[in-house]
Amino acid sequence: MHLPAKAKCYFVSDLHLLARRSNAPRYTAAIWRAAAQADAFVLGGDIFDFRWARARCPREPVDEAAAWLAELAKDFPRCEFHFVLGNHDFHQGFIDRLNRLEGEWANLFWHPYFLRLGGNVFLHGDVADGRATPESLRARRTRGLGRHHRRGWLPNLCYDLLVASRLHKPLPFLVYPRKRVARRILAYLDNIGHGPQAGVRHVYFGHTHRSLSHYRFGGLVFHNGGAPIKGVRFRILQTETQSDLAQVG
């Protein structure tokens, strides 16, 4: 990593590219504009959705995802791109391709669980699904790693109907109350040694599809940009980060 001492950083998550319910292509120009100004750009998981991907063959989604990342890295060589995996893109074929991409592009890095830059921690946020430790998160993520199949036509149809009816809108508020989410993330960060006692001040996360700005809990400030899905708010988040303390996991 070769970031300046005070770096301009952007964060997005939960684009769910490859899935037909994603509105992320509408924000492509905005993402490219942010990357043109950024020293660092963190892609916070579920950028691609291999569970709900539309594809003619198993390799096609991975090829599309790799091409999207390569184009981003090529177009903005002065920006460091950091890909933090989520639960929908924790896919063995994609992980293998990320290893290759990291070798091909000097400004592209990937991290399985989190990235810390100065007082900021970036993670996907699926630790908010329950009490999580590094071991339990790893076990949950890797349980289906070798058999990560796409959903069939019937689940896709049901999901489409759910989104079209807007019945999905209240789910993030019911399933992910702010205080519960913040408490679970804080417990996980304390467990891995990156809580407020270690100098962390801001947490950027996704997964919940619930937009959140400057929510304070337990000595930390939490931020979530939402998701570009019909009926859900979405924002590209900006922060400044001091890169003198960079750690990954």
Side-chain angles (χ1 to χ4, degrees):
M1 302 180 190
H2 301 92
L3 294 175
K6 184 174 287 189
K8 180 185 287 188
C9 181
Y10 289 86
F11 175 84
V12 296
S13 69
D14 297 276
L15 299 182
H16 289 277
L17 290 164
L18 308 175
R20 61 188 176 190
R21 285 161 296 278
S22 172
N23 288 330
R26 299 181 183 178
Y27 297 94
T28 299
I31 291 171
W32 255 245
R33 284 195 299 271
Q37 307 172 47
D39 298 303
F41 204 123
V42 181
L43 302 162
D46 287 3
I47 300 301
F48 308 105
D49 194 329
F50 296 106
R51 295 186 183 181
W52 298 94
R54 300 170 295 174
R56 292 184 294 270
C57 68
R59 287 186 53 186
E60 184 177 334
V62 173
D63 290 342
E64 287 186 29
W68 192 90
L69 285 175
E71 183 178 5
L72 198 59
K74 174 180 69 68
D75 286 354
F76 306 102
R78 296 183 180 179
C79 177
E80 282 191 3
F81 294 96
H82 293 270
F83 196 106
V84 180
L85 287 170
N87 54 313
H88 281 245
D89 45 28
F90 203 92
H91 177 283
Q92 188 60 61
F94 182 55
I95 291 171
D96 294 341
R97 190 65 66 87
L98 283 172
N99 283 321
R100 287 168 49 188
L101 287 168
E102 195 174 49
E104 293 169 2
W105 299 98
N107 61 330
L108 179 62
F109 308 88
W110 76 276
H111 319 287
Y113 301 107
F114 75 92
L115 167 70
R116 178 174 178 183
L117 295 174
N120 299 326
V121 165
F122 305 88
L123 73 165
H124 179 57
D126 48 336
V127 296
D129 288 343
R131 293 183 179 180
T133 64
E135 294 75 22
S136 67
L137 179 61
R138 188 177 302 111
R140 189 194 312 159
R141 289 266 194 97
T142 57
R143 193 172 294 127
L145 198 58
R147 49 181 176 81
H148 205 131
H149 302 300
R150 299 190 311 277
R151 307 294 189 186
W153 69 269
L154 184 57
N156 265 286
L157 176 61
C158 293
Y159 202 157
D160 285 344
L161 291 173
L162 184 71
V163 172
S165 64
R166 303 278 180 117
L167 291 175
H168 67 297
K169 287 183 65 176
L171 289 178
F173 297 89
L174 297 173
V175 179
Y176 297 111
R178 295 182 301 179
K179 190 173 182 179
R180 180 195 299 166
V181 167
R183 184 174 64 247
R184 288 176 173 176
I185 293 176
L186 174 60
Y188 174 77
L189 293 176
D190 280 338
N191 191 291
I192 63 173
H194 291 287
Q197 292 79 12
V200 172
R201 294 293 175 263
H202 293 267
V203 179
Y204 293 83
F205 70 102
H207 184 65
T208 66
H209 294 190
R210 182 177 181 182
S211 181
L212 195 65
S213 180
H214 293 88
Y215 179 72
R216 297 179 181 273
F217 180 85
L220 296 176
V221 187
F222 294 83
H223 312 267
N224 188 317
I229 294 173
K230 187 177 181 180
V232 178
R233 291 182 60 192
F234 172 71
R235 294 174 299 132
I236 301 171
L237 302 181
Q238 180 184 344
T239 183
E240 282 191 350
T241 185
Q242 293 184 338
S243 59
D244 54 336
L245 180 59
Q247 298 187 40
V248 301

